[in-house]
Amino acid sequence: MSEKLLVPDIGEFEKVEVIELLVKVGDQINLNDPVVTIESDKSSVEIPSTVSGKIESVNIKVGDKVSKGDILLSIESSKESPSEKPIPKDTESIIKQAESVLKNEKKEEASQQSPAPEKKQTIIQVTNENDIDPLETQDWLESLSAVVEKDGNQRAHFLIKELINKAYQEGANIPYTQHTPYINTIPPEAEVKSNGDQNIERRIRSLIRWNAAAMVVRANKKFPELGGHIGTFASAATLYDVGMNHFWRAKNNKFGGDLVYFQGHSAPGIYARAFLEGRLNEKQLDSFRQEVKPGGLSSYPHPWLMPKFWQFPTVSMGLGPMLAIYQARYMKYLINRGLIKDEGRKVWAFLGDGEMDEPESLGAIGLASREKLDNLIFVINCNLQRLDGPVRGNGKIIQELEGSFRGAGWNVIKVIWGSYWDSLIANDKTGHLVKAMNETVDGEYQAMKARDGAYVREKFFGKYPETQELVSSLSDKDIWRLNRGGHDPHKVYAAYDQASKNQGSPTVIIAKTIKGYGMGKTGESVNTTHQTKKLDVDDLLYYRDRFDVPLTDDQVKNVEYFKPDEKSPEIKYIKERRTNLGGSLPERTTYAKPIKAPAKDIFDFMKVSTGEKEMSTTMALVRMFTNLLRDKNVSPRLVPIIPDEARTFGMEGFFQKIGIYAHEGQKYEPEDSAQLSSYREDKSGQVLEEGINEAGAMSSWIAAATAYTNHDIEMIPIYIFYSMFGFQRIGDLAWAAGDSQARGFLIGATAGRTTLAGEGLQHQDGHSHLIASTIPNCVTYDPTFHYELAVIFREGLRRMHEKNENVFYYITTMNENYSHPGMPKDKNCEEGILKGMYKIKEFNRYGKTKIQLLGSGTILREMMSAAEILQNEYQIDSEIWSVTSFNELRKDGMEVERYNLLNPDKEQKVSFVEQCLGKTEGPIMAASDYMRMNSDQIRPYTNKSFYSLGTDGYGRSDTRKNLRKFFEVDKEHIVAYGLSVLAKEQLIASKYAKEAIKKYNIDGSKPMPTKL
């Protein structure tokens, strides 16, 4: 049966050009195989076949213009009975989701009807002075207690929910709260007990505490300027110890490993544990914060500095939480795309309560719950202190965080009180103890732990006669022993166990601790704890005694480390626990297989002239992506990341071709479902559509760009964004990407201060290359033509993903349409493109006066036009150089200069800039669509007179022509400046420059654009 394949609904476009025919007569094709590529001035998209069969005839050719309904092909279709037709993927997904919902509803109904196993609950009676009828209240509370005892928590929860719903229906204005009382989430009777040896674990923990503190103190005794932090790990030691001994599984040949984001200031404790495990030696500990010589330990987690140890840079406050969320989401992405197995791996992130004030810390918690990231666990160490003082002196940070996370849909586990409080809480029959706990603010809690038991008795328990009576039989010493939950391994173990088993939502464990725990009068719970780098002898002796470290007084005074014999129970135990959990943590390894770079001919179409056809470099990039998606090695590894601008960049064709990742698939029919580029979400979708969220998009990019080490799979992330909203907006994340040894492409689209015409000051980028140049392993390019882009991109694929170099690429592309010439035949052209510059054109008609013109991005075209004017109207010859990267030229120049200065007796090297320009005639003038500083970078590396033009100042809305005139980088200004340069160099008379300035109506008295 012969069927016609017609042009589908392509939206608002008419007469769209056919740029590729992907099939020919006689080809056998399958449903959804791409057959034709069409391209408007805004986007490029493939048209898929709607049937399977054999091509009978092709009705169009490359260059034809087509519209909706035009015939493309005739196909002899394969017959398929209706009963054998597969259910469309989206429909099948909807059916599965509906079945899942029905199953869940049945489960919920069953759980509500069948009584839970009986478990005795602790009933707390809370007195409220605002209660107008305490007897009625007591009746309700007793009824609720009876339901809990008879039918379990689920039934009680159901009844409360129904009561609230009924109250809303009756018009009651119920205040919304996400807070629970200031007690532990898990009651003692529900705690899962650890199977570890608690005595040995305490001894190990004590040794780790001591060695961590000793390492910092020893370093600062030698060099007081080194600094370091003792107080943070002192508060978090138990939180890490329980995880290391029982929960965190390492990567090995059988398992992908859990991922742990260690809190940056806790690094000394992680080193101290590695010392006991035999992974670090005493010499290395003594090189803490002394990294210039090999073997030093970095101040904080830095993979760049310790590439076999640290996995994640976390010390820039706020980045750890956001990166962990997107790492957990990316893990699900890889699983749902079938690229890695679902092994039940977890992402753990350790955070400080002070850190949670950073916008990034809480900025993505809604995404974590929306995506049901039950592979994510936050542990927030609430020691109640930041660097200068209390986090919330007048409030309660734990309650505040509970409300934020619970409101966002997280599973919240509070670990506030240690086991010594259990009997007190159980005996609090009047509720006054919990009332006091709720009322006491963090500033008070901090002060209490800086004093003693008598102070706590007076200030806390003395608030009510009932609470005073509760502790009447306890001594002040007993009261002082009442511990906080984050220091109690039993409470921490129970919380970790529950968090690890939670399904359907992310979990946050909020643990209350004491900053500087065990540090004595110098550091425990005092405002200066964070700055404490040294401990005096009395404090060290107190620390030793507090944690029973087996050192003599003289050893303490000498601040010696302590490591038991290899055959000791402690060392055998610590190694056994890690062996059982798969190996060491943290540890950074990779077993990823390289991706073979695509054959050169895949980019050949970008090396020929476009003729009269005009396109932007952004559109050329999209064409290249489309071709890469046909390469079987590269295609599955591509991760396109877009912050809600796919249509701006002409990438909407990817929606249908590879789908938008959505963990639940697509539950709705999109408004544009009839169109070729309709919005298609899919559980196995490839595009990460991040919405208006550059920080989130960059976090996804970092997760993908480090997948080679964290998931042992090489991926090719390509994050495309408005260039102004790249490095300027997420500079700290870009720096972390460099530290993480990320590999991938950042594409700064709609780049250039005068190229993105109408958007104005906030959107027009004139400095992203300068910001990018600050990152040592970031390779940057600003290409003008499509063949330059092709050469750069293929080399990036080769270097990063075939040769595994730890660099990442930043490439700017523009939205200005113009025709592109073919690639020059010069054999050195490709080398020049990659090194940063090559000669693209030369004017030698007169053989007298000459100038060297260097241009990059779209301003290269202004240079080329100016060169023609100089030749035709002023008899000035020129050589025109396309500068693809001032940054790369600067790197080469610095390296050559350094070598020559350090090796004065050896043959002197020549910079690539000088190799290109050293033997040419005339002065140099360089221009780009960026600040003058961009091109000024290469000024020191040539012996010729050097002048630069650029777009210094704030952008503004106008046409490209007017903007280039305003910033003085249009062809007319280039001509006038060029003549002035030649006059200044005494190569021509100054009258020519003066005449040109007058001819082009250039106002010499106009202020610099930076002042306007």
Side-chain angles (χ1 to χ4, degrees), residues 26 33 49 55 66 70 103 112 191 217 239 249 302 306 341 544 622 636 752 763 768 821 913 993 996 1007-1008:
D33 280 355
S49 175
I55 306 292
V66 297
D70 290 350
K103 283 179 184 175
Q112 289 163 4
E191 290 172 3
V217 172
L239 300 175
R249 301 159 295 175
H302 292 299
M306 295 180 67
K341 292 186 293 185
R544 176 200 65 181
V622 174
H763 287 68
S768 65
V913 171
M1008 278 281 289

Side-chain angles (χ1 to χ4, degrees), residues 322-323 325-327 329 360 363-364 367 641-643 688-703 719 729-730 733:
M322 178 166 274
L323 289 170
I325 288 172
Y326 282 88
Q327 180 68 254
R329 193 280 205 98
E360 296 92 341
L367 174 132
I641 302 171
I642 311 166
L688 286 173
E689 170 63 87
E690 299 293 9
I692 306 171
N693 181 4
E694 288 84 3
M698 187 65 183
S699 298
S700 279
W701 184 85
I702 291 172
Y719 170 29
R729 188 142 189 163
I730 47 83
L733 282 164

Side-chain angles (χ1 to χ4, degrees), residues 866-880:
E868 290 185 15
I869 296 171
L870 286 170
Q871 179 182 253
N872 296 334
E873 298 184 22
Y874 298 95
Q875 292 78 54
I876 303 295
D877 290 340
S878 62
E879 293 179 16
I880 306 165

Side-chain angles (χ1 to χ4, degrees), residues 299 356 382 403 416 429 601 612 625 806 825 841:
S299 52
M356 301 313 291
C382 290
I416 301 176
K429 302 305 182 185
D601 59 11
E612 294 182 3
F625 287 171
N806 290 322
K825 302 298 182 185
K841 204 164 187 178

Side-chain angles (χ1 to χ4, degrees), residues 229-230 232-233 262-268 300-301 315 317 387 530:
H229 301 281
I230 302 173
T232 297
F233 180 74
F262 293 95
Q263 191 181 0
H265 293 96
S266 291
Y300 304 116
V315 81
M317 298 288 101
L387 277 64
H530 192 81

